Amino acid sequence: MTVYAIADDIAWVSREDLDSGDQPVAYVASLPHGPPIVLEGPACLVWLLLADGGSVEDIARGAAELAGLTTAEVIDDVEVLLSELVEVGVARTL
């Protein structure tokens, strides 16, 4: 089973003020020279779950729960996002 995690040389901060009506946002950058990436809404939720590490299924299950959806509704999008995050170097597989 492939497990995903945040890459070692990454700095990030998030704004998770869900009560104000704003979408959660994470600002992610590879150090020392990487351009920042902004992950908003559902992508931020996936990022926050990625901080704990896990398989596609684990992360999709958590994202679905937070979004009030089923795992089946989100798993394909979660898998695509995780692949993209690995491709740009801010996530890795273990």
Side-chain angles (χ1 to χ4, degrees):
M1 168 176 56
T2 301
V3 174
Y4 291 84
I6 294 174
D8 294 332
D9 59 348
I10 302 302
W12 64 279
V13 64
S14 66
R15 186 187 76 219
E16 305 158 40
D17 189 5
L18 298 175
D19 295 331
S20 70
D22 292 335
Q23 290 193 48
V25 178
Y27 303 92
V28 180
S30 178
L31 296 178
H33 302 296
I37 298 169
V38 179
L39 301 171
E40 298 178 289
C44 178
L45 296 179
V46 169
W47 180 262
L48 295 172
L49 293 163
L50 180 65
D52 292 330
S55 67
V56 170
E57 293 81 9
D58 296 334
I59 294 169
R61 190 177 316 107
E65 185 177 315
L66 290 170
L69 301 169
T70 67
T71 302
E73 291 175 294
V74 302
I75 195 161
D76 291 338
D77 292 334
V78 168
E79 187 168 25
V80 167
L81 178 58
L82 290 173
S83 294
E84 290 174 353
L85 293 173
V86 169
E87 186 175 314
V88 298
V90 297
R92 63 189 172 102
T93 57
L94 305 175

